[in-house]
Amino acid sequence: MHKGNNNSRKKLLLLVVFLTYIATACTSKPIAISQDDNVIEAAVDNEKNLISLQLRELELDEYKAHAKKILHSYFYESYIEKIDKINSIGGIYAPSVKTPIIYNVSKVCTDSKKTSKIVFINAPVDDSTSRLYRMYIFKEEDEQWKLFQLREYYVVMDGPKKDDFKRVTDLFTNYDNKPIEYSAIKIRE
């Protein structure tokens, strides 16, 4: 009977150790989001905010406050001036307001020096064969990747001028001699 008690105690001790291990594993610090995921999220959030701004669901000052969080100090002033100028002439428009709005968003591409992270966006334009391409270029500042430059290209995909835009479409097809991988991301329901 004494031996059975020892076996029961060993089993109980093993069970307690196992449960402690499981509890520790489940309550440990969650896995951090990767830098690349943060960069993509910043670009997508900016696209969502631009659409909300265009639809008057977001005030200009609110948009600027959101943008300030992702903008590199080098780029902040010029970007805000550009947004103010576009807004003053009534020109802040999302390329599409028909829902759902789905953009093709690239995986993060990194330059050869590893000093920039780039996200490419290929967005449809309503009732048109045209596309809006955006290239979000991030650089590190204070140990965070911040938007350093935003390049935009409005491209006519069909008709007599389509060949004029081959350079742009090539730019958004290959980066550093490798195909750019895109995923369809729902920007708005």
Side-chain angles (χ1 to χ4, degrees):
M1 186 134 146
H2 188 292
K3 224 179 196 182
N5 247 353
N6 278 342
N7 282 339
S8 294
R9 284 185 181 161
K10 285 180 185 178
K11 287 180 183 178
L12 182 60
L13 181 61
L14 282 174
L15 180 63
V16 168
V17 169
F18 178 72
L19 290 174
T20 303
Y21 173 76
I22 295 294
T24 303
C26 291
T27 59
S28 65
K29 203 172 171 182
I31 297 172
I33 295 175
S34 76
Q35 290 178 342
D36 287 356
D37 289 341
N38 282 333
V39 167
I40 291 170
E41 184 177 316
V44 169
D45 283 349
N46 192 61
E47 292 293 324
K48 289 177 180 180
N49 287 337
L50 281 169
I51 290 171
S52 294
L53 180 63
Q54 187 250 339
L55 295 174
R56 312 269 190 263
E57 298 170 350
L58 188 66
E59 294 295 322
L60 183 60
D61 289 339
E62 290 176 271
Y63 174 77
K64 288 179 189 180
H66 287 290
K68 186 175 184 173
K69 295 173 190 173
I70 68 164
L71 293 173
H72 193 283
S73 61
Y74 171 83
F75 186 51
Y76 177 76
E77 192 173 317
S78 64
Y79 183 76
I80 294 302
E81 284 175 8
K82 177 184 170 189
I83 291 295
D84 282 337
K85 184 178 178 181
I86 292 170
N87 187 59
S88 71
I89 59 172
I92 294 180
Y93 295 107
S96 178
V97 292
K98 291 184 177 181
T99 54
I101 299 173
I102 298 173
Y103 287 0
N104 292 315
V105 179
S106 75
K107 291 183 176 180
V108 172
C109 298
T110 305
D111 70 334
S112 59
K113 295 178 185 175
K114 304 212 182 298
T115 59
S116 298
K117 291 183 178 283
I118 302 156
V119 176
F120 297 91
I121 292 184
N122 175 343
V125 179
D126 283 342
D127 300 325
S128 165
T129 58
S130 302
R131 311 280 307 167
L132 178 67
Y133 291 96
R134 286 192 175 121
M135 180 189 302
Y136 282 79
I137 302 170
F138 292 81
K139 291 200 178 275
E140 207 164 11
E141 180 178 54
D142 298 329
E143 298 181 15
Q144 289 186 327
W145 289 94
K146 298 286 191 163
L147 182 58
F148 185 79
Q149 189 175 38
L150 178 58
R151 297 181 187 166
E152 299 178 308
Y153 306 90
Y154 184 81
V155 176
V156 177
M157 300 298 291
D158 200 17
K161 293 197 173 200
K162 72 178 181 181
D163 291 337
D164 295 346
F165 298 103
K166 183 170 179 11
R167 180 188 60 81
V168 174
T169 55
D170 287 349
L171 176 66
F172 283 77
T173 304
N174 293 296
Y175 180 77
D176 203 21
N177 294 320
K178 296 177 193 148
I180 298 171
E181 294 180 50
Y182 287 91
S183 296
I185 304 283
K186 192 176 288 185
I187 300 295
R188 190 172 187 94
E189 295 289 332

